[in-house]
């Protein structure tokens, strides 16, 4: 007879991915905040609106059709960006998850970028959705690195 094992405590389904980019913090931050730059390596259908506290910007992905709004909760130049957006299987308020970018200088002149996303439903579907977004943010970091360090759009043709 199979027994189902469970954990009785509260779970906080979230993840953090990180990478180092061989550019100064201000340049890396700007590549995320500036819609023209973000459109060059990440949002295949384009980004509209600069990431600034209180703004709602639009991101569009040609390979995942449908532009969608992204709320900018916080934007502190060269330090941190906090976004909220509608996410499949999010447990956050109004079905939204929270994404936090942190930009930290390293001793060797590079920038450490961390991206965290949380507020997923405590279910298999929530876990699956978080894994998908974790993959997406990892790929965004790789695309950001390739764009800033080598001028290569890594995402072009990746999904279509």
């Amino acid at each position: 007879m199979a027994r189902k094992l469970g954990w009785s405590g509260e779970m906080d389904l979230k993840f953090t991915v990180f990478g180092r980019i061989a550019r100064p913090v201000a340049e890396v931050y700007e590549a995320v905040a500036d819609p023209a730059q973000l459109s060059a390596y990440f949002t295949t259908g384009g980004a509209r609106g600069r990431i600034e506290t209180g703004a709602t910007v639009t991101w569009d992905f040609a390979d995942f059709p449908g532009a969608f709004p992204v709320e900018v909760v916080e934007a502190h130049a060269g330090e941190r960006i906090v976004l909220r957006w509608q996410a499949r299987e999010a447990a956050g308020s109004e079905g939204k998850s929270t994404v936090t970018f942190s930009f930290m200088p390293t001793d060797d002149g590079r920038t450490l970028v961390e991206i965290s996303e949380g507020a997923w439903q405590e279910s298999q579907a929530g876990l699956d959705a978080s894994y998908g977004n974790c993959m997406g943010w990892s790929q965004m970091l790789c695309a950001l690195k390739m764009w800033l360090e080598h001028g290569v759009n890594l995402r072009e043709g990746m999904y279509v």
Side-chain angles (χ1 to χ4, degrees), residues 25 29-30 32-35 49-57 59 70-84 98-103:
V25 169
Y29 179 93
E30 190 61 21
V32 177
D34 175 26
R50 181 170 175 79
I51 292 180
E52 296 175 327
T53 301
T56 298
V57 299
W59 290 357
V70 178
E71 300 170 27
V72 184
V73 178
E74 293 177 40
H76 303 285
E79 295 176 17
R80 176 178 159 106
I81 295 171
V82 180
L83 308 172
R84 281 184 29 160
T98 301
V99 179
T100 302
F101 288 75
S102 298
F103 304 86

Side-chain angles (χ1 to χ4, degrees), residues 89-107:
E89 307 303 330
S93 64
E94 304 163 12
K96 295 181 180 180
S97 71
T98 301
V99 179
T100 302
F101 288 75
S102 298
F103 304 86
M104 296 157 280
T106 62
D107 292 340

Side-chain angles (χ1 to χ4, degrees), residues 101-150:
F101 288 75
S102 298
F103 304 86
M104 296 157 280
T106 62
D107 292 340
D108 59 4
R110 296 182 298 166
T111 299
L112 173 63
V113 181
E114 289 183 351
I115 304 173
S116 301
E117 187 170 12
W120 300 98
Q121 292 178 13
E122 293 180 25
S123 65
Q124 187 61 52
L127 190 59
D128 292 347
S130 75
Y131 284 173
N133 281 28
C134 184
M135 179 182 86
W137 289 121
S138 294
Q139 290 172 341
M140 187 271 194
L141 278 176
C142 292
L144 175 62
K145 181 176 182 69
M146 287 300 292
W147 178 253
L148 286 177
E149 292 181 12
H150 306 286

